[in-house]
Amino acid sequence: MTDLTDLGIADIRNGVRAGTFSAREVATAFNANVAAAKALNAFLIDTPEHALAAADAIDAKRAAGEDLPIMAGVPIGMKDLFCTVGVEARSASKILNGFKPTYESTVSQKLWDAGAGMLGKLNMDQFAMGSSNETSAFGNVISPWRRNDGGNAALAPGGSSGGSAAAVSARLCPGATGTDTGGSIRQPAAFTGISGIKPTYGRCSRWGVIAFASSLDQAGPMARDVRDCAIMLEAMSGFDPKDSTSLDLPVPHWEAGLSSNLTGKRVGIPKEYRLDGMDAEVAAVWDKGIEWLRDAGAEIVDVSLPHTRHALPAYYIIAPAEASSNLARYDGVRYGQRNLPDGAGLQDMYAATRAAGFGHEVKRRIMIGTYVLSAGFYDAYYTQAQKVRTLIARDFERVWDSCDLLLAPTAPSAAFALGQESDDPIAMYLNDVFAVPASLAGLPAMSVPGGLDSQGLPLGLQIIGKPLDEQGVLNAGLAIEERAGFTARPAQWW
Amino acid sequence: MLADQAMSVDSKTVKKIASLARIAMSDDEIEAMVPEFNGILGWVEQLGEVDVTGVEPMTAVIPNVLRLRDDVVTDGDIRDKVLANAPAAEHGFFGVPKVIE
Amino acid sequence: MTESTYRIQGATGEWEVVIGLEVHAQVTSNAKLFSGAATTFGAEPNAQVSLVDAAMPGMLPVPNGECVRQAVRTGMALNAQINRYSRFDRKNYFYADLPQGYQISQLYHPIVGEGAIEISLDEKNPDAHTKTIGIERLHLEQDAGKLMHDQHPTMSYVDLNRCGVALMEIVSRPDMRSPAEAGAYLKKLRSILRYVGSCDGNMEEGSMRADVNVSVRKPGDEFGTRTETKNVNSVRYVMATIEHEASRQVDVIESGGTIVQETRLYDPDKNETRSMRSKEDAHDYRYFPDPDLLPLELDDTFLDACKASLPELPDAKRKRYESELGLSAYNAAVLTAEAETARWFEALLTESAKAQGKPEAEVAKAAANWLLSELYGALNRMAKTIDDSPVSPAAGAELLALVAGGTISGTIAKQVFEIMLETGEGAGAIVEARGLKQTSDTGAIDAAIAKVLADNADKVEQYRGGKEALFGFFVGQTMKAMQGKANPQMVNELLKKALG
Ligand SMILES: [Mg+2]
Ligand SMILES: [Zn+2]
């Protein structure tokens, strides 16, 4: 019998539906992989019983002859910023120590309704702030990938959904939830040779998802291939009256709509993404991606998104500003950690709790956000950034006159060593230079593996689509996937 | 415009910001934060160059309308859930260090 | 408008006080502004708290349409500009009554813009002494929770029941110049809110509170620096706050000090205001549009429905009572000051018109007089409001019809009303059972007159000699002899005849 943990979402579901194997067998196999992979530090909390209970429910349904839902028998990993009933949710921060939600996030509930179960809570950058998973209060996630040059420096899995990326690529789960505020699904997917899609802003409910930057946060799936992403996105999406920014639209059947024939599609290549001094291997994969899409029938056009270079600085005003306010609720009063020095008053307790509870990067962003919103600076920073954001969105709107999709690299480099960029915040922020524009414009965007670099590390290709055109994005991803023939996986060393 | 007011932030300002954000910081931590702050602010200040004449700040990233809820009581009466995670809760209240008004 | 004459006499001369009010009025709604938790007053602590109100991680606000509708209707009643486009902003600060760490409010784009209220400074003559007070804006925002400091030696207790309840903050222009004007403004505003039904105006339960902005200046000078006294919860306290704060400011300035812009608190026990240093620290609210909420856009259908649902408002009603019903300005003003009174009066009017088969305009004066003297007098004695009057408008109308039809006299009507209050019986039944019907039997009246004239021959002499003022005396004596049951008009006629 094949190793069940080599199977992806579609194969597991189909096998469970066909009775080739039971959901319990699948859950058991993945639980074992999770338990054996502590060296990766991908999971913060294991919930094997949750996965088994969901599996047993599916097996019982099948025995009763019922129709099985779209993720029947698929155990998944849950990023730690999704609230699930009774399981500690900390957003990888000490400040939420001990917090056990009494409620279930809309996205996780939809996944359970679709037949999935939970293997555990995944490590991440603290409050999703980071691009290397080095800001977690519970230790770095170690990428399962290693360079082929004999060096064994531990590599970053990317971030903030680094635990999700590592877990999927190391076969600890066939799929995992991620969230993407400024590249947090796409960049780690690229670093670990898996696929991940951030849908249009408003497709996935934010209710029950611990907020980082409300106008940017979007949940999405991370999985081993495009079909699996389509299935899981379908399960996660849908209108939620509890989220005022949720889109009241039906969820398309993305899996059924998959087609790698891109005849009639025009794919734009944004010239501003070709940075001076661009990594040659990244550029080469991009060129290959262009050829693959042409081969799939697409017409390739050169396009311009003139405000691209302003996206990252705008993001680093808007996201910290929103975060500074969203994270004000962590004050040690209603949940989480409380630090109460002797004789401390209320405000001292706040300051002590937040000093001890937040990590350095979180504090830095809260303070930048506080500064840019403060009296006298608000217009110069925040309003200006939101105007620039309008211009960036307008760039995309204009470009849709000449193309249907955009193709670009996901990240400017392959995975780097842990510790390599953690001293220089701006160098770290530059990881998301290609990912952030689509986030600012709320557009669907996906990363799929494009190949390996000379060191044997994965490089990702990013497809950006029009609002609500997840199908177009997935289809272009599929066209690349079929042609890239990416089968590399990290050798198991853990 | 940002470009005109490019200025560096000093430790006094960082201290004030830390206090506004309710994050206790030692003087050493404040000093260490000053260059990081200036590095990031100096970098984002390039936005000041962008001509935004006549441009409205973004409000909704994807066109959408604000839905209004019906005026119906659908929630509350869940005190146990509300207090379940509280570091200090007594007699149905949250407890905080005594506040002198 | 006549010049305001309120002046504070200082050592250096006269000072003028400048007042602006920010009124927080709780919107009448079942559920909170952004959550589905209830708003009822007096629940067990934290029993009316949703996960949204407690700011649990990942919780999101969804606005209550009724609160929006009530804010718009109120804006319309204040003759204010309704903004079809508004936004919710976050006001960021840390306090234990504010779980989110921010209050959702509206700073940059409020739902209602400029409007005005006309206040009257002379109840007896409401049109003679009026003043227009500008409204700067009305916006929606969340109320905060409550802290209790006296339940535990080292802890304060937090109750979030009020947290997230919808408030309308109604900001006036600094147009008031005396405590009396501020009092009249507050009363008028409360009256309008209650007419509209957007706020119950109950200041004791905190449904209406005022932040009182006060500054002083020499008449004709620029505005001085103002202080803001928070959460004053009665009309009387607002007026007292102004008096004390204004004279405090004059004292400070005249003794060489300067006024600092600060938040103060009114202490009704000591009748003074004092600085609230606890709230003073670093006032930098870092307002920005709430990214969890989209802009609020109102369409014609919504606005038209709001407009159509507005009742006749107190000013319009008062003018109509004068012009169509012929009521005095004073009576019209008193009857329309509170929606409940006007509602009761109009019911009485309808019933009276029906009972007497006459148009409302013909029965209005008597109805108004009876309501304002007899009914009000009785309610005052019983310490009851008109809403729990033991006598219904229909019962009142029955009584009035008996007087109008000549069945009983006004004097007897007073007696009958007392009996109605005591027994709850109807006026007709009382008159019937107790034989209180007034008589128009000329024989009986003539007999009584003959006796009165015979017993008072000396006065008859004087009357006939030209002392006509004695006529009233004969009327009184005759009525007394008739035990009040004679038709007064007939008594008059027959007396005149008898006296020659
Ligand atoms: Mg105020
Ligand atoms: Zn307010």
Side-chain angles (χ1 to χ4, degrees):
Chain A
M1 192 172 120
T2 50
D3 184 349
L4 292 173
T5 62
D6 278 342
L7 301 180
I9 292 170
D11 289 339
I12 292 171
R13 175 202 58 197
N14 295 343
V16 168
R17 278 179 175 171
T20 317
F21 40 77
S22 70
R24 176 165 265 268
E25 287 173 284
V26 176
T28 306
F30 278 105
N31 279 338
N33 273 15
V34 170
K38 292 295 156 202
L40 300 178
N41 199 28
F43 278 88
L44 295 174
I45 295 172
D46 299 349
T47 56
E49 60 303 322
H50 190 290
L52 290 172
D56 289 348
I58 288 296
D59 287 337
K61 267 194 173 169
R62 185 173 186 279
E66 291 177 37
D67 283 348
L68 297 185
I70 64 169
M71 286 190 59
V74 180
I76 56 154
M78 188 64 70
K79 192 176 179 181
D80 194 35
L81 45 49
F82 290 86
C83 291
T84 61
V85 171
V87 181
E88 210 176 5
R90 291 172 295 184
S91 222
S93 178
K94 280 192 289 181
I95 207 157
L96 275 167
N97 268 341
F99 170 59
K100 288 187 178 170
T102 56
Y103 49 96
E104 190 74 34
S105 79
T106 300
V107 162
S108 57
Q109 186 60 53
K110 281 178 178 287
L111 285 163
W112 313 148
D113 293 346
M118 178 165 64
L119 295 160
K121 297 298 289 288
L122 290 159
N123 203 346
M124 53 183 280
D125 275 302
Q126 191 168 153
F127 283 105
M129 297 176 188
S131 305
S132 63
N133 221 298
E134 290 168 286
T135 72
S136 166
F138 307 108
N140 300 337
V141 175
I142 316 295
S143 173
W145 290 84
R146 288 187 163 176
R147 290 185 177 129
N148 61 11
D149 59 4
N152 61 356
L155 297 179
S160 65
S161 311
S164 308
V168 171
S169 73
R171 270 60 176 173
L172 312 187
C173 53
T177 54
T179 60
D180 192 314
T181 303
S184 282
I185 287 175
R186 290 161 286 159
Q187 182 255 19
F191 275 22
T192 56
I194 64 168
S195 298
I197 180 166
K198 174 195 96 70
T200 309
Y201 182 83
R203 277 281 195 208
C204 288
S205 169
R206 295 183 295 112
W207 194 88
V209 185
I210 297 174
F212 164 16
S214 311
S215 76
L216 294 150
D217 294 345
Q218 260 304 288
M222 300 171 77
R224 248 169 269 152
D225 63 25
V226 171
R227 176 169 300 269
D228 287 0
C229 282
I231 295 168
M232 191 165 164
L233 182 61
E234 213 171 299
M236 293 167 71
S237 297
F239 173 59
D240 182 4
K242 291 187 287 190
D243 174 357
S244 293
T245 59
S246 175
L247 293 168
D248 190 0
L249 295 169
V251 179
H253 295 296
W254 287 306
E255 184 190 8
L258 283 175
S259 159
S260 57
N261 181 352
L262 303 186
T263 308
K265 294 283 179 193
R266 294 163 303 167
V267 175
I269 309 301
K271 69 174 188 209
E272 289 80 7
Y273 282 55
R274 208 170 284 274
L275 304 175
D276 291 342
M278 186 175 207
D279 183 302
E281 295 192 89
V282 170
V285 167
W286 192 6
D287 289 340
K288 272 197 224 161
I290 293 170
E291 281 320 304
W292 291 329
L293 291 182
R294 207 193 304 273
D295 182 60
E299 181 194 338
I300 305 297
V301 293
D302 287 323
V303 298
S304 171
L305 297 164
H307 295 91
T308 298
R309 74 190 175 88
H310 302 300
L312 208 52
Y315 174 85
Y316 276 96
I317 290 172
I318 295 163
E322 293 183 9
S324 72
S325 178
N326 282 338
L327 271 60
R329 64 188 57 197
Y330 305 106
D331 58 8
V333 176
R334 295 163 316 286
Y335 39 76
Q337 178 171 317
R338 165 182 290 197
N339 291 69
L340 186 58
D342 272 354
L346 178 71
Q347 301 293 342
D348 305 322
M349 179 188 88
Y350 291 159
T353 298
R354 292 161 63 80
F358 290 136
H360 187 73
E361 180 64 23
V362 174
K363 289 181 194 171
R364 180 158 56 204
R365 294 205 201 181
I366 288 175
M367 288 180 61
I368 291 285
T370 302
Y371 182 78
V372 300
L373 290 177
S374 66
F377 298 104
Y378 172 75
D379 279 326
Y381 288 102
Y382 188 79
T383 309
Q384 178 78 2
Q386 288 287 28
K387 287 179 178 174
V388 171
R389 189 175 180 185
T390 300
L391 291 173
I392 287 162
R394 214 179 266 174
D395 280 357
F396 282 109
E397 279 160 33
R398 289 200 178 125
V399 96
W400 302 132
D401 291 341
S402 48
C403 64
D404 306 296
L405 295 161
L406 294 163
L407 180 72
T410 307
S413 73
F416 46 84
L418 287 165
Q420 185 182 312
E421 294 184 2
S422 46
D423 289 342
D424 180 353
I426 296 171
M428 185 66 85
Y429 298 167
L430 284 169
N431 268 292
D432 292 316
V433 66
F434 299 139
V436 153
S439 296
L440 288 173
L443 301 173
M446 165 164 222
S447 180
V448 292
L452 297 178
D453 72 0
S454 55
Q455 295 189 312
L457 298 183
L459 293 172
L461 283 168
Q462 181 184 206
I463 303 117
I464 301 169
K466 295 176 189 173
L468 307 178
D469 189 23
E470 285 82 3
Q471 190 73 65
V473 171
L474 289 161
N475 287 353
L478 186 63
I480 291 173
E481 182 177 280
E482 286 174 357
R483 287 161 181 80
F486 185 89
T487 54
R489 57 185 282 185
Q492 187 171 341
W493 53 262
W494 52 92
Chain B
M1 280 266 117
L2 282 171
D4 305 333
Q5 67 176 60
M7 50 148 96
S8 67
V9 158
D10 56 12
S11 55
K12 205 178 128 212
T13 308
V14 173
K15 199 168 182 160
K16 195 193 121 205
I17 295 297
S19 139
L20 258 183
R22 295 296 185 280
I23 299 173
M25 287 180 93
S26 68
D27 288 347
D28 287 349
E29 287 173 302
I30 299 273
E31 288 307 327
M33 187 70 93
V34 171
E36 291 178 15
F37 229 79
N38 282 317
I40 295 167
L41 290 176
W43 173 63
V44 298
E45 270 166 13
Q46 59 173 285
L47 279 192
E49 301 159 8
V50 184
D51 181 3
V52 292
T53 320
V55 178
E56 286 296 317
M58 179 172 281
T59 49
V61 62
I62 297 295
N64 198 352
V65 287
L66 184 59
R67 288 176 306 276
L68 301 175
R69 222 179 60 239
D70 288 341
D71 184 29
V72 184
V73 176
T74 55
D75 210 339
D77 208 7
I78 46 163
R79 182 156 84 185
D80 291 348
K81 284 186 175 185
V82 164
L83 297 174
N85 283 285
E90 280 184 30
H91 311 301
F93 296 95
F94 294 100
V96 297
K98 187 157 243 163
V99 180
I100 295 109
E101 275 186 328
Chain C
M1 145 80 207
T2 52
E3 269 309 296
S4 168
T5 50
Y6 184 82
R7 290 286 184 269
I8 293 165
Q9 206 59 52
T12 60
E14 287 196 330
W15 294 81
E16 181 183 46
V17 57
V18 175
I19 305 147
L21 295 178
E22 293 164 28
V23 172
H24 285 94
Q26 178 180 335
V27 180
T28 303
S29 65
N30 300 313
K32 293 182 179 180
L33 181 52
F34 293 112
S35 88
T39 59
T40 354
F41 181 76
E44 287 291 298
N46 291 306
Q48 295 184 160
V49 179
S50 76
L51 300 171
V52 176
D53 307 320
M56 291 289 163
M59 292 300 98
L60 298 170
V62 180
N64 180 341
E66 175 64 6
C67 301
V68 171
R69 193 180 80 92
Q70 291 292 26
V72 168
R73 294 174 74 246
T74 307
M76 288 171 166
L78 298 174
N79 294 310
Q81 187 202 318
I82 307 302
N83 293 324
R84 285 159 175 274
Y85 176 99
S86 67
R87 287 218 66 172
F88 291 103
D89 300 304
R90 292 185 183 178
K91 176 183 184 179
N92 294 282
Y93 64 94
F94 286 89
Y95 203 61
D97 63 6
L98 189 72
Q100 293 168 137
Y102 54 84
Q103 177 196 35
I104 307 179
S105 180
Q106 298 188 299
L107 176 72
Y108 298 110
H109 300 281
I111 188 162
V112 175
E114 285 192 65
I117 285 186
E118 185 158 286
I119 60 169
S120 167
L121 296 162
D122 182 353
E123 260 203 346
K124 292 240 161 9
N125 198 355
D127 283 319
H129 200 160
T130 63
K131 181 170 176 177
T132 301
I133 308 297
I135 304 283
E136 189 179 306
R137 57 189 284 147
L138 176 157
H139 67 254
L140 280 167
E141 63 183 26
Q142 299 175 297
D143 203 351
K146 258 200 164 61
L147 258 63
M148 263 141 284
H149 307 298
D150 50 4
Q151 314 270 311
H152 188 280
T154 60
M155 277 201 282
S156 292
Y157 282 167
V158 187
D159 172 15
L160 300 179
N161 278 348
R162 285 200 67 86
C163 196
V165 165
L167 303 177
M168 295 180 282
E169 179 170 336
I170 302 161
V171 182
S172 83
R173 297 243 171 244
D175 287 349
M176 287 156 275
R177 295 289 178 272
S178 70
E181 289 184 11
Y185 168 82
L186 261 183
K187 284 190 203 152
K188 186 62 174 283
L189 178 60
R190 185 172 59 184
S191 162
I192 293 171
L193 295 177
R194 289 163 62 115
Y195 263 84
V196 169
S198 59
C199 171
D200 67 20
N202 189 333
M203 295 188 94
E204 294 73 50
E205 290 179 4
S207 327
M208 232 179 119
R209 285 115 65 187
D211 295 345
V212 185
N213 289 288
V214 173
S215 65
V216 295
R217 63 175 176 187
K218 288 283 172 68
D221 279 5
E222 299 284 290
F223 285 151
T225 304
R226 67 186 165 87
T227 62
E228 179 178 13
T229 305
K230 289 271 189 198
N231 283 335
V232 187
N233 65 355
S234 82
V235 173
R236 192 157 59 85
Y237 290 164
V238 165
M239 293 169 69
T241 295
I242 295 164
E243 279 175 35
H244 285 85
E245 183 53 19
S247 57
R248 186 194 68 86
Q249 291 185 13
V250 167
D251 288 348
V252 169
I253 298 169
E254 292 195 331
S255 54
T258 46
I259 302 302
V260 276
Q261 187 165 345
E262 63 175 353
T263 306
R264 299 181 70 84
L265 192 75
Y266 175 70
D267 183 340
D269 297 330
K270 295 186 188 147
N271 196 9
E272 63 178 26
T273 69
R274 62 183 147 82
S275 184
M276 266 175 97
R277 282 185 194 89
S278 62
K279 289 232 169 169
E280 269 319 287
D281 111 285
H283 261 176
D284 188 341
Y285 292 125
R286 290 157 285 134
Y287 280 99
F288 77 110
D290 191 328
D292 285 331
L293 293 162
L294 297 150
L296 175 59
E297 293 177 75
L298 307 176
D299 59 24
D300 285 336
T301 318
F302 184 86
L303 295 178
D304 291 347
C306 287
K307 187 109 216 165
S309 75
L310 280 182
E312 185 183 28
L313 293 168
D315 283 344
K317 208 182 262 301
R318 177 170 65 82
K319 283 176 185 144
R320 182 171 63 82
Y321 282 9
E322 290 181 43
S323 63
E324 288 179 15
L325 301 179
L327 299 189
S328 71
Y330 174 73
N331 279 3
V334 179
L335 286 171
T336 55
E338 289 298 335
E340 294 74 25
T341 313
R343 211 175 299 130
W344 212 99
F345 173 67
E346 286 175 19
L348 176 68
L349 204 54
T350 309
E351 295 291 337
S352 285
K354 204 166 26 158
Q356 298 176 35
K358 287 182 189 159
E360 290 190 352
E362 283 180 37
V363 301
K365 266 189 206 166
N369 287 333
W370 177 78
L371 191 158
L372 291 176
S373 55
E374 303 306 318
L375 180 64
Y376 259 31
L379 293 173
N380 269 343
R381 266 185 281 130
M382 296 183 285
K384 285 193 166 167
T385 67
I386 197 153
D387 273 341
D388 38 52
S389 160
V391 168
S392 72
E398 186 186 345
L399 176 64
L400 290 172
L402 291 175
V403 177
T407 311
I408 55 173
S409 68
T411 322
I412 292 295
K414 287 185 209 283
Q415 279 179 46
V416 173
F417 182 51
E418 288 305 321
I419 300 168
M420 286 166 71
L421 290 170
E422 270 165 42
T423 65
E425 289 171 53
I430 293 169
V431 168
E432 201 58 55
R434 295 169 207 234
L436 296 172
K437 229 180 211 157
Q438 102 188 330
T439 179
S440 302
D441 173 351
T442 46
I445 298 173
D446 273 335
I449 288 173
K451 187 165 187 303
V452 168
L453 298 192
D455 291 350
N456 297 286
D458 51 335
K459 296 213 166 71
V460 173
E461 202 66 23
Q462 289 170 21
Y463 177 85
R464 287 191 174 131
K467 205 168 178 192
E468 288 186 7
L470 279 169
F471 189 74
F473 167 81
F474 296 121
V475 171
Q477 288 301 304
T478 309
M479 287 303 278
K480 201 173 162 192
M482 293 293 296
Q483 292 168 307
K485 284 182 278 180
N487 180 327
Q489 227 172 322
M490 216 164 264
V491 170
N492 272 359
E493 281 168 28
L494 295 174
L495 252 178
K496 278 205 176 122
K497 223 184 270 172
L499 285 164

